[in-house]
Amino acid sequence: MVKIKGKVFVFGDNVNTDEIIPARYLNTSDPQELAKYCMEDARPGFGRRDDIKGSIIVAGENFGCGSSREHAPVAIKAAGISCVIAKSFARIFFRNAINIGLPIVELKEADEFEEGDVAEVDLENGVVRNLTKGKEYRIRPYPEFLMKIMEAGGWLEYCLKEVGE
């Protein structure tokens, strides 16, 4: 997997799954429909912006808290967000994100990023860079098996690939 690079969109602490994808839009499981309403209750219209493809969400503590719905990371990934960096994640969101192949990174210095900064994430080598500010942070590198899941596009895709070989 190559380095992930994108424009930063900043969100605060305790962004819950209802803010990520409100329940009123869960009448579909189509990822492209969910993407339109990504972060709708945290930042109305965010999922319909033209400039979010390839971007990186940076947030505070406990990102993805609330329900265990897998729709939240699906909406983020389908909207074109390439990675989520947060001080911490709700455990079930963390698991769901990995399962669908959405790269996520815990970074205690996440609050040093500002809206519009450009970030670069190297999951394999454990480095996050704020290219705008010229800062570099060390993170725990993704182990080989997680890299394979990310490269396959998610847990199911990884399993199908492994069984097919």
Side-chain angles (χ1 to χ4, degrees):
M1 177 174 262
V2 296
K3 295 175 186 171
I4 300 165
K5 181 179 171 184
K7 177 181 174 181
V8 167
F9 288 94
V10 175
F11 291 84
D13 292 334
N14 301 307
V15 174
N16 67 56
T17 54
D18 287 322
E19 292 172 298
I20 296 169
I21 183 66
R24 65 187 175 275
Y25 300 114
L26 296 179
N27 56 354
T28 181
S29 59
D30 175 25
Q32 294 312 308
E33 278 301 306
L34 295 173
K36 294 176 188 176
Y37 304 105
C38 175
M39 308 305 286
E40 187 68 18
D41 283 0
R43 191 177 297 182
F46 181 78
R48 294 178 297 285
R49 292 179 62 143
D50 292 331
D51 63 343
I52 63 170
K53 300 286 188 250
S55 65
I56 296 173
I57 288 177
V58 177
E61 302 279 353
N62 203 26
F63 187 87
C65 59
S67 78
S68 61
R69 68 175 66 124
E70 195 174 82
H71 297 81
V74 167
I76 291 171
K77 184 177 178 182
I81 303 301
S82 60
C83 184
V84 179
I85 299 170
K87 283 188 167 188
S88 66
F89 291 91
R91 297 327 309 166
I92 192 68
F93 181 90
F94 188 96
R95 178 72 180 260
N96 284 339
I98 296 298
N99 283 347
I100 64 136
L102 173 66
I104 57 176
V105 172
E106 289 189 335
L107 179 69
K108 64 181 179 173
E109 299 92 352
D111 57 358
E112 294 183 18
F113 285 82
E114 294 180 29
E115 188 87 9
D117 284 351
V118 175
E120 181 181 76
V121 180
D122 182 341
L123 298 171
E124 193 170 10
N125 294 305
V127 179
V128 173
R129 293 181 183 89
N130 183 326
L131 299 176
T132 304
K133 295 181 178 175
K135 293 186 134 190
E136 183 173 294
Y137 310 93
R138 300 297 305 169
I139 58 169
R140 183 179 304 164
Y142 269 35
E144 184 180 349
F145 79 95
L146 277 185
M147 290 300 297
K148 287 181 180 179
I149 291 170
M150 291 297 119
E151 289 165 0
W155 175 248
L156 179 60
E157 293 82 356
Y158 169 76
C159 291
L160 291 172
K161 181 181 174 192
E162 289 297 307
V163 168
E165 289 184 349

